Amino acid sequence: MATALAQLRRAVDQLKLSENDWNTLSTPRRILEVAVPLRRDDGRVEMYKGYRVQYSTTRGPSKGGVRFHQDINLEETVALAMLMTWKCALTNLPYGGAKGGVAVDAHTLSLTENERLTRRYTSEILPIIGPERDIPAPDVGTDERNMAWMMDTYSVNAGFAVPSVVTGKPIVLGGSLGRASATGDGVAISTREALKVRGINPQGATVAIQGFGKVGYWAAIALEAMGLKVVAVSDVNGGVTGFKSVEEVFEYSKKNGTIIGAPGTDRLTNEELLHLGVDVLIPAALADSITEATASGVKARIVVEGANAPTTPEGDAILNNKGILVVPDILANSGGVIVSYFEWVQDKQNYFWGAEEVRENLNKILMRAIVEVEDMAKSKKVTWREAAHMLGVSRVAEAHSLRGLYP
């Protein structure tokens, strides 16, 4: 939370906004904390804390993921909802930011337990979500199956099917083509454009990716398709290098539950991966990967943030001093919310697009945001992170100003 507030404070100061603006922009609109009971398969009843934070609804309904992770808390959820607000404004989507989840280790849940927990959490936050209010989506520890259960729970209570209440759903329930890979696709587009800005030919450029989940895997696939060379990937157990293709490592991990030990690979630690001599480093795991302790060893010329808040302020300062171009999370990983917006639009229209149309529109919106960030960074002589926050914050502040204060 301190990092998110510090970034906001800097943007407010650079934009020369008032203290009234700061007070408005630094305060979440609505916070809901709920108790989520779960009946385990053996009959035990356990209680978990759940959250839903709607940080802003000024530019439209709030939008944000649902996490099932044992380490989430209210402070982190507020911070992520704040970042989501700037991300939606930066990409000019008609949304505010939200975030939610349950403090549970999803890996400890059976399929039926996961369903019961998802449905009960949905019922607890039911009064504040909806297609015109707040649209959840998958995040860490959740997937399209959880979204199907959330959509069904909401729809049963409404009395009719409401596909647009969540995004990231299965295709047959109103999901969008391209949604599963969208965040990774956006990371790949951001990587390609950042290389061009630095005068590096993307063809054959080397990439190391920390994290091999929904973001890291799809980013790796997209980057290979663009002609870049992914030389190292990692999961929670560590990293590997020396593989011929990402798909080989992925197939091994599906069978063995980890990438460690994939044939023909050499093992390295997650910290060693951060320090490889590559053109691009993509932290695509959890927050705070690049810290004051690890940033000094980063040799990559570009860092593209696939995860949310993977770089601490101290780590960021070191990267900037080293002349490393950092593509911030609210720009680099915005592909997910962009295609979520497409899914919401398609659901509301009951008219669905082809995969190529989704890809073209994703590229168009993200490219516009990248150009705007680069132009702002040049004109104001600031970093890409500062430029991205200035753009996002200024749009939310302008919307607040135009709507006025009621009463």
Side-chain angles (χ1 to χ4, degrees):
M1 186 64 190
T3 299
L5 282 172
Q7 291 169 345
L8 173 60
R9 180 79 254 186
R10 185 157 180 79
V12 166
D13 291 344
Q14 289 172 317
L15 292 164
K16 295 181 170 55
L17 300 178
S18 69
E19 280 305 298
N20 286 341
D21 290 322
W22 162 257
N23 290 334
T24 302
L25 293 166
S26 62
T27 306
R29 299 278 74 77
R30 185 178 289 113
I31 295 175
L32 179 62
E33 180 175 328
V34 296
V36 187
L38 168 65
R39 182 180 292 107
R40 290 282 191 171
D41 291 338
D42 62 6
R44 289 179 296 121
V45 174
E46 297 177 345
M47 299 298 296
Y48 297 93
K49 280 190 176 182
Y51 309 96
R52 190 66 184 173
V53 175
Q54 296 171 350
Y55 196 86
S56 174
T57 55
T58 302
R59 288 169 47 86
S62 52
K63 186 83 184 75
V66 173
R67 290 189 171 192
F68 282 5
H69 193 276
Q70 63 273 21
D71 293 334
I72 70 166
N73 54 53
L74 181 57
E75 185 176 276
E76 179 193 47
T77 306
V78 171
L80 291 171
M82 181 197 294
L83 291 175
M84 195 68 179
T85 301
W86 318 140
K87 183 186 298 184
C88 291
L90 173 63
T91 50
N92 261 318
L93 303 182
Y95 289 142
K99 208 72 175 184
V102 180
V104 62
D105 184 352
H107 297 99
T108 67
L109 303 174
S110 69
L111 183 63
T112 54
E113 289 170 343
N114 197 323
E115 179 176 0
R116 287 195 291 271
L117 188 74
T118 301
R119 290 184 181 277
R120 185 54 186 256
Y121 169 71
T122 306
S123 69
E124 294 293 341
I125 66 170
L126 203 66
I128 68 169
I129 64 172
E132 311 300 336
R133 296 178 178 224
D134 180 8
I135 306 111
D139 203 283
V140 176
T142 59
D143 56 23
E144 64 174 23
R145 183 176 53 195
N146 297 91
M147 295 305 105
W149 293 329
M150 291 190 75
M151 176 258 186
D152 181 70
T153 303
Y154 186 92
S155 298
V156 167
N157 281 271
F160 52 90
V162 189
S164 55
V165 67
V166 297
T167 59
K169 303 178 297 297
I171 298 296
V172 71
L173 293 178
S176 175
L177 295 172
R179 176 58 185 86
S181 64
T183 306
D185 291 339
V187 169
I189 293 168
S190 300
T191 300
R192 180 192 67 202
E193 296 308 310
L195 285 165
K196 291 177 182 177
V197 167
R198 277 298 162 95
I200 304 170
N201 186 352
Q203 295 298 312
T206 54
V207 184
I209 304 176
Q210 184 192 52
F212 203 56
K214 288 178 282 190
V215 179
Y217 167 70
W218 286 111
I221 292 297
L223 288 165
E224 283 193 341
M226 290 177 179
L228 288 81
K229 176 62 177 174
V230 179
V231 299
V233 295
S234 71
D235 60 18
V236 294
N237 301 303
V240 295
T241 187
F243 47 85
K244 292 181 180 178
S245 73
V246 169
E247 196 59 43
E248 289 181 6
V249 178
F250 180 67
E251 290 300 322
Y252 178 86
S253 70
K254 281 203 302 185
K255 295 176 183 176
N256 298 275
T258 180
I259 63 175
I260 302 301
T265 61
D266 298 316
R267 185 170 180 174
L268 68 166
T269 67
N270 266 297
E271 185 166 334
E272 287 171 339
L273 182 142
L274 294 176
H275 298 157
L276 291 175
V278 291
D279 294 310
V280 182
L281 171 64
I282 301 177
L286 293 175
D288 299 340
S289 296
I290 301 178
T291 64
E292 185 175 16
T294 60
S296 59
V298 173
K299 300 181 182 68
R301 299 168 67 180
I302 298 168
V303 171
V304 180
E305 295 184 332
N308 288 314
T311 309
T312 66
E314 298 79 10
D316 200 37
I318 292 171
L319 296 181
N320 291 333
N321 289 335
K322 289 164 67 78
I324 297 171
L325 174 60
V326 179
V327 184
D329 48 2
I330 65 170
L331 176 62
N333 66 26
S334 62
V337 71
I338 292 171
V339 179
S340 278
Y341 166 63
F342 298 163
E343 180 177 334
W344 179 70
V345 168
Q346 291 170 83
D347 285 336
K348 290 174 73 67
Q349 293 179 332
N350 280 316
Y351 180 80
F352 292 87
W353 310 346
E356 188 57 36
E357 187 173 2
V358 172
R359 281 193 295 270
E360 288 177 1
N361 287 330
L362 168 60
N363 189 75
K364 181 168 63 177
I365 289 178
L366 190 50
M367 283 297 299
R368 182 178 62 199
I370 291 170
V371 169
E372 289 174 339
V373 168
E374 185 187 2
D375 289 347
M376 174 71 82
K378 285 181 177 178
S379 65
K380 299 296 184 181
K381 294 182 171 54
V382 295
T383 67
W384 276 35
R385 187 187 306 284
E386 291 170 325
H389 277 84
M390 289 169 70
L391 284 164
V393 170
S394 67
R395 287 169 181 163
V396 177
E398 182 182 11
H400 276 305
S401 176
L402 291 171
R403 287 187 59 165
L405 183 61
Y406 175 85

